[in-house]
Amino acid sequence: MSVPGITGLCHIGFAVRSIEEFQRTWGALLGVGDWLVRDVNQPDGLLQLHGELLGPASSRVAFARLADTAIELVEPHDGRTRTSAWLEEHGPGIHHLAFWVDDLDLAVAALGDAAEVTYSPAGRRPGTAPPVSAVVRGHGAPPLTPEPAGFWAYTEARDARVPWCLELLDARSADVVRAAFGDHLVYPRPRHPVSGDHLVHPPTASQGLPEPPRHDHAVPGDHLARPRPRPEDRA
């Protein structure tokens, strides 16, 4: 089982009891000062948690960029959400990692029975489609779309002992998220189709391949992400 079409990390989500406390402590230590803070409303009857349609709820969220990624703080207020339930079960801390995927339908289907869609727009989970009369009141986070299934979903591995959620976001709806949260989140890079001689091919053995660099100590190789070059280094 694997998740196909992951294009990149959008943000790391924290469940907190106080956004202000996190900003004052960890935010200050990390040097994060530019926060986007919003009060958000969960609409009545349009989201599901473990297969149960949820009533209205309210939360406060905060987003900030940190180097090449972003962090989200979620502070529940009234009503029941995945984050409020998480705080009851586990207390504050890392709650989810959010990744962009090329096609959310394919990504969720690939998880199969190994994971559960625990929190999402109701249409994303079979048997919990919202009533026809349900309407959105207020605005949520992530924002909702007119599609019944929605473009985001929280998933959790059924047998995992490390508690956290995997949030999947459909990259085709990145513009919707950007309109709501601007540059405080990280978005997938646009993909430009190429063909024919426009492709850059690697050199063949007959053309001579450069010798790999030698190291006198162990290195992590490509299992770690490398920092992007600074603009002044690209000149």
Side-chain angles (χ1 to χ4, degrees), residues 143-212:
L144 298 173
T145 61
E147 293 80 10
F151 66 83
W152 60 276
Y154 280 64
T155 65
E156 297 173 52
R158 296 184 185 277
D159 298 326
R161 297 195 177 188
V162 178
W164 60 284
C165 302
L166 172 65
E167 181 182 6
L168 300 177
L169 300 163
D170 199 306
R172 294 169 296 185
S173 296
D175 289 344
V176 176
V177 181
R178 187 187 295 273
F181 304 120
D183 291 332
H184 287 80
L185 291 179
V186 177
Y187 300 93
R189 297 178 182 179
R191 296 190 174 185
H192 303 288
V194 293
S195 60
D197 292 335
H198 293 87
L199 292 174
V200 178
H201 301 279
T204 63
S206 61
Q207 293 173 318
L209 293 173
E211 292 187 5

Side-chain angles (χ1 to χ4, degrees), residues 3-235:
V3 181
I6 290 180
T7 64
L9 180 67
C10 175
H11 64 271
I12 302 170
F14 292 83
V16 299
R17 292 193 172 96
S18 170
I19 288 175
E20 188 279 333
E21 188 274 337
F22 187 100
Q23 292 172 325
R24 178 171 47 83
T25 55
W26 275 111
L29 287 171
L30 295 171
V32 179
D34 182 17
W35 293 90
L36 174 68
V37 181
R38 294 270 183 86
D39 290 317
V40 296
N41 297 318
Q42 174 177 281
D44 183 15
L46 290 186
L47 302 185
Q48 64 84 26
L49 176 61
H50 295 293
E52 175 188 355
L53 286 179
L54 297 174
S58 63
S59 303
R60 177 167 291 174
V61 298
F63 294 95
R65 288 293 297 267
L66 179 61
D68 284 341
T69 187
I71 56 178
E72 176 189 16
L73 311 177
V74 184
E75 175 189 307
H77 287 178
D78 301 315
R80 185 168 177 80
T81 67
R82 184 65 189 112
T83 310
S84 67
W86 190 272
L87 284 171
E88 294 172 3
E89 298 166 8
H90 307 289
I94 292 180
H95 172 254
H96 65 270
L97 300 182
F99 286 91
W100 296 104
V101 292
D102 286 330
D103 188 312
L104 181 56
D105 292 330
L106 293 178
V108 170
L111 292 173
D113 294 332
E116 177 190 2
V117 178
T118 53
Y119 182 60
S120 70
R124 177 60 56 188
R125 178 164 171 155
T128 58
V132 176
S133 60
V135 295
V136 175
R137 290 185 288 274
H139 43 275
L144 298 173
T145 61
E147 293 80 10
F151 66 83
W152 60 276
Y154 280 64
T155 65
E156 297 173 52
R158 296 184 185 277
D159 298 326
R161 297 195 177 188
V162 178
W164 60 284
C165 302
L166 172 65
E167 181 182 6
L168 300 177
L169 300 163
D170 199 306
R172 294 169 296 185
S173 296
D175 289 344
V176 176
V177 181
R178 187 187 295 273
F181 304 120
D183 291 332
H184 287 80
L185 291 179
V186 177
Y187 300 93
R189 297 178 182 179
R191 296 190 174 185
H192 303 288
V194 293
S195 60
D197 292 335
H198 293 87
L199 292 174
V200 178
H201 301 279
T204 63
S206 61
Q207 293 173 318
L209 293 173
E211 292 187 5
R214 296 181 179 179
H215 301 277
D216 295 329
H217 54 82
V219 294
D222 291 333
H223 290 84
L224 294 180
R226 298 173 182 173
R228 298 177 184 174
R230 297 172 298 179
E232 58 268 26
D233 295 334
R234 297 192 184 112

